[in-house]
Amino acid sequence: MPNTPVNIAINGAAGRMGRQLLSAVAEVDNAKVSAAIDAPGQPSIGVDTSVLSGGQATGVSTVDNAASVMSHFDTIIDFTAPAVTLALLEQLRGSGKRIVIGTTGFNAEQLKQLYAAAKDTPIVFAANYSIGVTVALSLLRKAAQALGDDYDVEISEAHHHHKVDAPSGTALAMGHAVADALNRDLDECAVYAREGITGARDPKSIGFATVRAGDIVGEHTVLFAGNGERLEITHKANDRMTFARGAVRAAIWLSSQPAGLYDMTHVLGIEKE
Ligand code: NAD
């Protein structure tokens, strides 16, 4: 735990998550918001971050590029969009800065770029910063190992109507956890859509179903269906602050870590097995 507060920048400060992150940093003693960035042209540019968070004035105005505030922060928390995150990573490389990435929806090529940046930059990257989902991932690995190939695995998720990527990063992380435990490659066994005469279910497949509706913060269920019984592991997020608090915890933890790629299991000290 650092003695002096960690100076944190929020990238995407005006977004749904950015506003929660501003509030989550304000809750803790060992970190402070020292910079806030959002896209050029946003109404929040040049405005005190308290207008975004609804909290007390911070004296920190939102700017439209990270380069202009690079000397103001140690660690940046980024919940934006894949292209924005990758451009930021390029700016950070070699600067000694750290980054907590919450953005989801990276394609395989973009993920390669992100992993390459971890060679010289300390990065926490998690599809879901809630403690409940981090524990759920560990339970899923255990369940899949114990149940084996005799149980069909289907993953369903629901999110608000603004979400732009599907299936969610969390659903994919859950799919990877189960596939790895069953010695399957998710890229080969995932079924992302079914329509028409699909034929019988391939027993080695892992199916995904997606709902986008209203203001649902995030719900995920992994179903293991066998003969005569079903096991469901479900997580429901009621409030985005759960992700924001987890990301701030990750940022404080990261402040004492060397370059490398970390996730919430490292932050929370949970064994992956
Ligand atoms: P949002 O659209 O509300 O916010 C994104 C913000 O990024 C906006 O304010 C936008 O103006 C800003 N932005 C766009 N271009 C920018 C640029 N060049 N520089 C700086 N800022 C820029 O979206 P959201 O709901 O807050 O979600 C953001 C991301 O976080 C998504 O990928 C979402 O899936 C992910 N997310 C992850 C978790 C998690 O726990 N990992 C939880 C919730 C959301």
Side-chain angles (χ1 to χ4, degrees):
M1 197 68 66
N3 293 325
T4 50
V6 181
N7 287 318
I8 293 183
I10 308 294
N11 200 35
R16 277 176 291 273
M17 279 305 301
R19 291 163 192 257
Q20 304 286 314
L21 287 159
L22 292 168
S23 300
V25 176
E27 285 180 351
V28 298
D29 293 332
N30 46 357
K32 66 177 183 353
V33 173
S34 55
I37 306 117
D38 208 277
Q42 289 292 316
S44 55
I45 302 303
V47 172
D48 191 277
T49 58
S50 56
V51 173
L52 298 172
S53 65
Q56 293 187 337
T58 59
V60 174
S61 296
T62 308
V63 298
D64 65 5
N65 66 88
S68 65
V69 287
M70 205 60 107
S71 62
H72 297 198
F73 66 87
D74 313 308
T75 301
I76 188 161
I77 305 180
D78 168 275
F79 282 63
T80 56
V84 177
T85 307
L86 291 179
L88 175 65
L89 268 177
E90 277 311 302
Q91 282 182 283
L92 294 183
R93 291 189 80 168
S95 69
K97 309 288 179 192
R98 298 168 155 79
I99 181 167
V100 171
I101 300 173
T103 301
T104 63
F106 295 93
N107 63 31
E109 185 50 39
Q110 291 172 321
L111 281 176
K112 267 192 212 159
Q113 289 177 50
L114 191 157
Y115 298 153
K119 291 195 183 101
D120 49 38
T121 308
I123 299 175
V124 180
F125 176 44
N128 193 306
Y129 280 90
S130 85
I131 291 171
V133 162
T134 310
V135 172
L137 289 169
S138 163
L139 295 175
L140 287 168
R141 281 185 275 273
K142 284 201 174 76
Q145 272 161 9
L147 298 172
D149 285 333
D150 291 341
Y151 287 70
D152 294 334
V153 183
E154 294 281 314
I155 301 175
S156 53
E157 56 104 338
H159 280 87
H160 55 91
H161 55 213
H162 298 290
K163 187 163 177 64
V164 295
D165 53 315
S168 70
T170 304
L172 291 170
M174 290 175 159
H176 279 293
V178 171
D180 291 351
L182 294 172
N183 292 316
R184 297 181 201 166
D185 180 345
L186 191 67
D187 290 340
E188 286 168 12
C189 70
V191 174
Y192 293 115
R194 296 186 179 106
E195 189 187 22
I197 310 300
T198 59
R201 187 182 192 285
D202 176 346
K204 290 267 175 97
S205 63
I206 296 179
F208 288 81
T210 296
V211 169
R212 292 287 174 267
D215 62 355
I216 301 169
V217 173
E219 300 189 0
H220 296 84
T221 293
V222 180
L223 163 69
F224 296 88
N227 282 328
E229 65 169 354
R230 284 175 289 169
L231 169 65
E232 293 182 359
I233 296 179
T234 295
H235 179 270
K236 295 183 183 180
N238 307 324
D239 186 341
R240 286 186 178 81
M241 275 303 272
T242 193
F243 310 129
R245 291 190 181 112
V248 171
R249 184 166 169 170
I252 294 166
W253 176 86
L254 189 64
S255 66
S256 55
Q257 305 303 322
L261 186 65
Y262 306 99
D263 61 29
M264 276 304 270
T265 59
H266 300 106
V267 175
L268 300 178
I270 295 174
E271 289 290 325
K272 267 195 180 158
E273 293 178 22

